[in-house]
Amino acid sequence: KVALVCTTKVLKGKLVNAPLSDLPMDQIFITFDEFCSLVSEYKNRQSDQSKGWDNVVSKTMDNSRVLLFVIQANSRSVSAMCQAAYLIGSGCNVVMCVQHIPQDAVLDGEVISKLAVKDYNRGRSYLSDFANREGVPVFDEIQEALECVIHKCKASK
């Protein structure tokens, strides 16, 4: 099971309304573009502060064999990085995709200063270094991270 929550999955060619973690890994068929859409949907839902959503995410993570964290270049992702560091330190099976924020970035309609970009990227570097020291795979590209997650899930059957 993978801790990526979304509303629509592809199961044997049919769209299914269920958390990805509720579906058996060998029956999930998803393209890379669909995966990217699901990550975007997940990120949008994270901003929903409802207690119910938090419980779904927590339960899904607790029941997952692999936790995939995608720290994208188009987001600050401070809370996700803190959560990832905590779970790595707790010994969870984590895979990371960490992308650095480019200079002159605009996040949520706000031009980010060069100093802020440097600080956000320093946090990403610290997290990547920590993850590497703990044996957690860290990738730059989402597709590579997803392939690693699939491999880990198949290996842990």
Side-chain angles (χ1 to χ4, degrees):
K1 294 183 179 183
V2 179
L4 174 64
V5 178
C6 49
T7 57
T8 309
K9 266 64 66 208
V10 181
L11 179 60
K12 292 195 175 179
K14 296 180 182 175
L15 295 180
V16 179
N17 232 354
L20 186 59
S21 61
D22 290 348
L23 302 174
M25 281 304 295
D26 61 345
Q27 294 185 24
I28 297 173
F29 301 94
I30 186 168
T31 67
F32 179 65
D33 288 337
E34 290 167 331
F35 173 74
C36 291
S37 295
L38 298 176
V39 169
S40 294
E41 181 180 340
Y42 175 75
K43 285 177 62 182
N44 290 338
R45 291 237 180 145
Q46 278 188 313
S47 63
D48 177 7
Q49 298 300 314
S50 69
K51 196 95 168 144
W53 179 246
D54 290 341
N55 288 339
V56 169
V57 171
S58 179
K59 180 182 174 190
T60 301
M61 291 178 80
D62 289 345
N63 294 325
S64 297
R65 290 187 288 188
V66 180
L67 301 174
L68 171 62
F69 281 88
V70 179
I71 310 300
Q72 291 183 297
N74 63 355
S75 175
R76 290 171 180 86
S77 301
V78 175
S79 62
M81 291 192 302
C82 291
Q83 186 176 32
Y86 171 79
L87 292 167
I88 291 168
S90 298
C92 293
N93 190 5
V94 175
V95 173
M96 305 250 348
C97 174
V98 180
Q99 301 172 341
H100 286 265
I101 298 173
Q103 293 295 328
D104 303 320
V106 177
L107 303 178
D108 299 323
E110 177 186 345
V111 176
I112 306 301
S113 72
K114 290 183 181 190
L115 185 59
V117 169
K118 185 177 176 181
D119 288 340
Y120 290 128
N121 286 337
R122 185 181 306 115
R124 284 165 160 74
S125 294
Y126 289 163
L127 177 60
S128 294
D129 289 346
F130 172 64
N132 283 323
R133 283 194 311 273
E134 296 298 314
V136 171
V138 180
F139 300 92
D140 297 325
E141 298 298 324
I142 296 171
Q143 183 152 356
E144 292 174 320
L146 183 58
E147 289 169 2
C148 179
V149 167
I150 291 168
H151 174 75
K152 283 180 162 253
C153 287
K154 286 181 178 178
S156 68
K157 282 185 177 181

